[in-house]
Amino acid sequence: MAKINKIFSNILRLLAVAATVVAVVFMVTSHDSAQVLNLTFTAKYSYTPAFKFFVIGEAIAGGYTIVSILLSFKTLFWRLIVILDMVATVLLASSISAALAIAQVGKKGSSHAGWLPVCGQVPHFCDQVTVSLLAGFAAAVIYFVILLSSLYAVVL
């Protein structure tokens, strides 16, 4: 049973790596420009601290996942892996939450704050960010399942 759980966990970890790589690549390559009243408006992920946090969080979680796959074959590190799985899960959840909040403002604006939506002017940027956020959300869900699997393995 423990061997099946380890195989299941490593398959989930590979899926999580794929999701974090897709999220990082799509976010880092997201940029678009628009001309508004003879002024050029450029949108890049690096202009928003929440999107930078998202990229850094996804990259850290993806890097940790690769290391954890290698360490999972060593039974001495199982307690450390469980703790770090919790940290990675929380990091992914917080980074996706921050990025989703800013993406919502970019898409819908905020009438109370007087912020206008920008996705009408830079649709390619918003499409790239949407794909990145979907992949990031998938990584967070996968990591939650990994965490549950790790905790289940500790109980056994």
Side-chain angles (χ1 to χ4, degrees), residues 3-132:
K3 183 141 178 108
I4 292 172
N5 189 32
K6 189 179 280 192
I7 292 169
F8 176 69
S9 178
N10 282 336
I11 290 171
L12 286 176
R13 289 178 194 282
L14 290 173
L15 289 173
V17 168
T20 57
V21 167
V22 168
V24 168
V25 167
F26 271 85
M27 185 62 82
V28 169
T29 60
S30 65
H31 64 280
D32 201 359
S33 296
Q35 194 83 7
V36 179
L37 300 172
N38 285 337
L39 296 172
T40 302
F41 171 71
T42 303
K44 290 184 178 181
Y45 92 95
S46 60
Y47 295 165
T48 307
F51 288 164
K52 287 183 196 176
F53 174 57
F54 175 75
V55 168
I56 292 167
E58 295 286 322
I60 289 170
Y64 159 70
T65 305
I66 292 169
V67 171
S68 70
I69 290 171
L70 299 174
L71 289 179
S72 70
F73 297 108
K74 310 267 192 238
T75 56
L76 299 174
F77 295 106
W78 65 270
R79 286 184 179 153
L80 178 64
I81 287 175
V82 171
I83 292 167
L84 292 177
D85 283 348
M86 175 73 77
V87 171
T89 303
V90 171
L91 178 63
L92 288 172
S94 64
S95 69
I96 190 71
S97 297
L100 278 171
I102 294 302
Q104 176 68 16
V105 171
K107 183 172 176 125
K108 302 284 185 180
S110 175
S111 60
H112 299 291
W115 298 333
L116 299 174
V118 297
C119 284
Q121 286 74 35
V122 286
H124 178 69
F125 172 75
C126 289
D127 292 343
Q128 291 274 110
V129 168
T130 300
V131 171
S132 178

